[in-house]
Amino acid sequence: MPTLTQAKAHLRVDHADEDALIQTLIDGAIHSVCDYLNVTTLPSYPAVEIAVMMLVGALYENRESVTDRPLSDNRLYDRLLAPYRAMEA
């Protein structure tokens, strides 16, 4: 799935200072998408990769979970991943 180089390009980061952080965000995003899809291995589809990158971007920009307003679900994220979601038995 997304590499560190791809994620840095997506985030417009051109230095190595945050490489470890960005890799951790990639790993966390992949795990989160797998959980959402109810799968153990990430499917290799462009829409799934885009959703992972969207999540990496959101996590990078919003490093703290403290907010003064309620968070809402991202419908685009859901729309990208819904076709690949495995229903639980």
Side-chain angles (χ1 to χ4, degrees):
M1 262 297 139
T3 64
L4 178 61
T5 301
Q6 290 170 320
K8 287 174 69 172
H10 175 73
L11 299 171
R12 294 185 173 99
V13 172
D14 61 0
H15 54 77
D17 298 346
E18 298 182 305
D19 283 5
L21 169 66
I22 295 168
Q23 185 60 57
T24 299
L25 297 178
I26 294 166
D27 296 342
I30 289 171
H31 182 78
S32 179
V33 169
C34 283
D35 282 349
Y36 180 85
L37 294 176
N38 297 318
V39 297
T40 56
T41 304
L42 206 59
S44 182
Y45 296 106
V48 174
E49 186 169 338
I50 291 167
V52 170
M53 294 296 253
M54 285 175 54
L55 190 50
V56 169
L59 292 168
Y60 184 79
E61 290 297 321
N62 303 293
R63 298 178 193 197
E64 302 296 326
S65 62
V66 178
T67 182
D68 59 347
R69 59 190 166 144
L71 298 174
S72 60
D73 291 328
N74 185 326
R75 292 178 55 184
L76 179 57
Y77 178 82
D78 292 336
R79 189 171 181 134
L80 287 167
L81 294 176
Y84 309 105
R85 194 167 192 194
M87 295 300 166
E88 294 183 71

